[in-house]
Amino acid sequence: MQRHVEDGVRAESGAAGSAESAADAETEERHRRAADAGDTASMSVLGAMLLRRGDLDAAEPYLRAATAAGERAAANNLGVLLHQRGYVDEAAGWWRVAAVAGSAAAAHALGRHYRELGDEPAAEYWLRQSAEQGHALGAYALADLLEHRSDVGAERWLRAAAEQGHREAAYRLARALEVRARETAHPGADAVYRSGTGPPTSGGRRRPGADAGPREDTGEGAPGGPSLISEAAQWYRQAAARGHRRAALYLGAILEKRGELKEAGRWYLTSAKDGEARAACALGFLLRDAGDEESAAVWWLRAAQEGDGNAANALGALHAARGEQQTAERWYRAAMDAGDVNGAYNLGLLCAAQDRTVQAEQWYRRAAYAGHREAANALAVLLLQADDPTGAEPWFSKAAEAGSVDAAFNLGILYAGRDDDGTALRWYERAAAAGHTEAALQVGIACLRDGDERSAERHLRCAAGGGSAEAAFRLATVLDSRRPPPGPPALGEPHGVKTECEQWYERAAEQGHRRAQVRVGMLAAGRGDIADAARWYREAAEAGSRNGAFNLGLLLAREGGEREAALWWTRAAQAGH
């Protein structure tokens, strides 16, 4: 444990002379001559210079002489010297002498001594004495003691030390501010990590396969969040500028979230070059997003070789996307060996994509037992596909309770298949509340069935906004049912203004929804837009819609195309019209 060496001349106002460099031979010689001539201040300074240089034998007589003459800085430094030699109790005695005389450095050293002995009340007393005199190390040590006891006063002293340039205090203050912002936004929430791309799951949705740190949810949406995060960024910047590599990492994460990618990359690079593997991994994702996949791979490789599981997963996903399955598997195993449960999950994804179902189940099960919620969902899907709903249900439940939106939706499907509509709806509602498009559609359909049109519209809007063609069609039908019958256009009103319901019909039609295509064609025909009507009828008919084929035939017959009309009517008749 290091103790602060106090320069007697600097520490005491009114003392003459100052040593600017311990290696300055001329200065040392000048103080030596003065000390040998009996100058107490020079004895203290010379002792401090020799102590810093590690020449304890030469330093001790000068420090003892200066201490005997009442130099409090010398008393502190004598304590440091004795502590380095292993005479802990004697060192504490001299620190007490210096601290009582007003030495902040000695009070800090004495406080640290008592903390090591387990005497926290005495430690707090002396550390507080040091901190209240403006000693940065004392303030930091006091903050550390209070934080250990979960005392809210810790932040005040971290701030005091940081304001005096203490690097670690600035970093820890920034972390405290960022954690507070996150907890304000999401009480009890852990860090949220951005993910790389893995193979598609057996459930049909693409799933992330490689997490990248630290990408935390910074709570900027919460009251006070932006100001807390801005202040945290300032303290991270101060610590990072002084060479704190983790501060540079977290500063980069905040800047990236703000969209300041160039500066974020600069701090990630600084941190990565100082040996922070997580920064190298994050830098890799930043480069990949910028389109520089090769440079990204270089940084991921560096991070993975230093034991970063996230980077190993990213490399695995990269090689998997290139079709290099064996290399991908090797990196996923490396991630797993590094303690990253995503490695096992990604191995499951890889095996499932190759139809190696037995191996996929083994890896999913391993990740699921380790608490990976999406692995639990994927395992349940495999079991369900193997006609084992009894085995699938507990894994779906475990995944859903852990927050898997897909698992909640899948439980809804499972219970709906058992005709337990009430339980199914509860799980659909849970998934819909988390933004699951298909779940919102199912809730909307259930509300329509129960006659709750207002709730149905709300859920159908969510699902349609999420890209569901069926939801867009059903929303359009709800809005269409409220529309008054169209009358002749008012004088000066342009004929054919599209209503909201038609816009939703069109959105569904553009996604290939056949019934929506027929309806859009009918609305276009009603506006007199024959070409648009024919286009939509034709798209529906060619996709197999018998109503689309029949309507297209009517349109063609009216326009003089009876022969082609007969062909479409024949197709509609053969389809059962």
Side-chain angles (χ1 to χ4, degrees):
M1 178 181 62
Q2 293 184 340
R3 292 296 191 271
H4 181 61
V5 178
E6 198 172 354
D7 188 317
V9 177
R10 291 181 186 172
E12 303 297 327
S13 59
S18 175
E20 293 185 0
S21 172
D24 191 330
E26 183 180 348
T27 302
E28 181 180 328
E29 184 58 32
R30 176 164 50 84
H31 281 297
R32 189 181 298 277
R33 287 195 300 269
D36 290 342
D39 186 277
T40 303
S42 287
M43 291 178 190
S44 180
V45 173
L46 180 60
M49 293 172 67
L50 295 168
L51 178 58
R52 287 194 184 98
R53 201 164 67 203
D55 191 348
L56 305 188
D57 291 336
E60 185 171 353
Y62 287 111
L63 291 176
R64 286 192 179 277
T67 299
E71 280 281 341
R72 70 180 187 186
N76 172 64
N77 293 341
L78 180 58
V80 173
L81 184 148
L82 292 167
H83 187 273
Q84 289 182 14
R85 284 187 160 167
Y87 302 123
V88 178
D89 292 337
E90 188 180 355
W94 289 114
W95 283 330
R96 181 180 292 275
V97 168
V100 169
S103 170
H108 164 248
L110 192 57
R112 292 280 299 273
H113 168 72
Y114 279 118
R115 187 172 183 188
E116 289 173 356
L117 294 178
D119 188 347
E120 289 198 0
E124 181 179 349
Y125 173 82
W126 289 110
L127 290 175
R128 195 174 293 278
Q129 294 295 314
S130 176
E132 289 176 348
Q133 292 181 64
H135 194 274
L137 295 176
Y140 176 73
L142 177 59
D144 187 68
L145 176 64
L146 295 175
E147 191 173 72
H148 175 70
R149 299 205 306 243
S150 300
D151 191 312
V152 293
E155 186 177 313
R156 171 197 169 190
W157 293 110
L158 276 179
R159 189 179 298 277
E163 287 171 349
Q164 295 179 69
H166 194 288
R167 187 180 74 174
E168 188 66 22
Y171 168 72
R172 287 177 62 175
L173 176 59
R175 292 295 296 144
L177 292 168
E178 192 171 7
V179 167
R180 193 195 312 162
R182 186 168 67 247
E183 289 179 346
T184 301
H186 308 288
D190 292 328
V192 175
Y193 297 98
R194 198 176 75 170
S195 298
T197 303
T201 66
S202 52
R205 300 182 67 194
R206 292 189 68 80
R207 270 289 163 230
D211 287 348
R215 316 300 169 96
E216 294 186 51
D217 182 341
T218 56
E220 292 196 48
S227 60
L228 287 173
I229 293 300
S230 295
E231 187 181 358
Q234 292 172 3
W235 291 115
Y236 279 139
R237 191 181 299 276
Q238 177 175 306
R242 294 175 177 269
H244 198 294
R245 69 187 193 186
R246 281 173 295 167
L249 166 69
Y250 285 104
L251 175 59
I254 290 176
L255 292 169
E256 183 181 358
K257 187 174 180 66
R258 290 177 178 173
E260 300 174 31
L261 303 184
K262 186 174 181 179
E263 190 178 1
R266 183 168 67 84
W267 286 112
Y268 282 149
L269 180 60
T270 298
S271 181
K273 285 183 175 179
D274 285 341
E276 181 60 57
R278 289 176 297 169
C281 181
L283 179 59
F285 276 95
L286 208 61
L287 290 166
R288 184 204 64 179
D289 292 348
D292 190 353
E293 198 172 78
E294 295 305 317
S295 296
V298 170
W299 286 105
W300 283 334
L301 178 61
R302 180 169 174 172
Q305 289 173 337
E306 293 176 8
D308 189 280
N310 292 331
N313 273 317
L315 282 172
L318 180 64
H319 287 287
R322 293 174 176 174
E324 300 165 358
Q325 306 299 331
Q326 288 185 341
T327 307
E329 184 170 338
R330 178 166 60 85
W331 282 114
Y332 287 149
R333 286 181 182 273
M336 189 175 61
D337 292 342
D340 193 324
V341 68
N342 280 310
Y345 174 53
N346 286 338
L347 281 167
L349 293 173
L350 197 66
C351 292
Q354 298 171 346
D355 294 325
R356 295 157 55 194
T357 307
V358 174
Q359 293 94 328
E361 181 180 337
Q362 291 172 348
W363 291 117
Y364 284 150
R365 196 175 293 275
R366 179 166 178 172
Y369 274 119
H372 197 294
R373 66 190 187 192
E374 297 308 333
N377 178 63
L379 173 60
V381 169
L382 278 186
L383 293 171
L384 199 59
Q385 290 173 343
D387 199 26
D388 184 8
T390 304
E393 183 178 350
W395 286 113
F396 276 139
S397 296
K398 185 175 182 179
E401 293 297 345
S404 171
V405 181
D406 282 345
F409 175 68
N410 289 338
L411 274 173
I413 294 174
L414 194 67
Y415 281 107
R418 297 173 180 172
D419 295 325
D420 188 349
D421 293 338
T423 306
L425 181 59
R426 285 197 294 273
W427 283 111
Y428 284 145
E429 286 174 337
R430 182 165 176 173
H436 195 288
T437 298
E438 293 303 315
L441 169 62
Q442 294 302 321
V443 175
I445 292 172
C447 292
L448 284 176
R449 186 173 60 242
D450 295 340
D452 186 355
E453 192 173 285
R454 185 182 299 274
S455 295
E457 180 183 344
R458 177 167 56 87
H459 284 100
L460 290 173
R461 284 187 182 277
C462 290
S468 170
E470 181 65 25
F473 174 73
R474 288 177 180 268
L475 173 61
T477 59
V478 169
L479 297 173
D480 207 0
S481 67
R482 300 174 186 166
R483 197 169 54 137
L491 186 63
E493 180 185 355
H495 187 71
V497 176
K498 294 181 181 179
T499 62
E500 185 189 4
C501 77
E502 186 170 359
Q503 291 171 2
W504 283 113
Y505 278 134
E506 283 191 357
R507 180 178 294 194
E510 287 165 355
Q511 294 176 257
H513 195 288
R514 291 184 299 178
R515 293 172 65 193
Q517 289 170 340
V518 173
R519 185 62 182 149
V520 171
M522 293 173 66
L523 292 170
R527 290 196 311 271
D529 191 344
I530 303 304
D532 202 35
R535 178 172 69 88
W536 285 115
Y537 286 151
R538 191 177 297 276
E539 283 204 27
E542 289 176 347
S545 168
R546 60 191 182 187
N547 285 332
F550 176 72
N551 289 354
L552 178 59
L554 288 177
L555 202 65
L556 290 168
R558 289 171 188 164
E559 298 297 313
E562 289 87 353
R563 179 171 296 181
E564 187 181 356
L567 295 175
W568 287 110
W569 283 334
T570 300
R571 182 181 291 191
Q574 290 173 343
H577 194 282

